[in-house]
Every structure is written in C-alpha cells, then in structure tokens.
Amino acid sequence: MTLIFHDLALILLLCVLLASAETLQGIVRAAVLVPRLGKKTALKISAITSSLPGPVNTN
C-alpha cells in the first residue's frame, strides 16, 4: 500500500514540477523575449527551447 502511495506522490510531484517549469518559461518569454524580439519570434524560440532535452542523470 505504501509503495502505491509513494508512486502516486512521485507522479504528482513530477507533474507539479513540469507545470512549474512551463509556467516559468512562459513568464520569461513574455517578460524578456517578446519586448526584444517580438511575439512571433519569441514563440518560435520558446517552442524550440521547450522541446530540447534537459540534462541527463547518469546515476
């Protein structure tokens, strides 16, 4: 029972972290990229950077 609870808690934590990262990316795009590059270019850059893989943990 605790293993299932642990797995569900881990999944929930990962969902919250992913949502937080997407929110921060949107804030940075709106605050930094849009004023400097324009909305269209900022959206293109944002789409590219959000699809790049992050660092890989080799433990």
Side-chain angles (χ1 to χ4, degrees), residues 6-26:
H6 181 292
D7 292 341
L8 290 175
L10 184 60
I11 290 168
L12 180 63
L13 175 66
L14 290 173
C15 288
V16 169
L17 287 174
L18 180 60
S20 299
E22 290 292 331
T23 301
L24 288 175
Q25 182 202 25

Side-chain angles (χ1 to χ4, degrees), residues 25-26 28-50:
Q25 182 202 25
V28 169
R29 179 178 47 83
V32 177
L33 293 178
V34 171
R36 294 182 179 159
L37 302 174
K39 185 176 180 181
K40 194 172 185 178
T41 306
L43 283 172
K44 288 180 184 178
I45 291 172
S46 180
I48 292 169
T49 58
S50 67

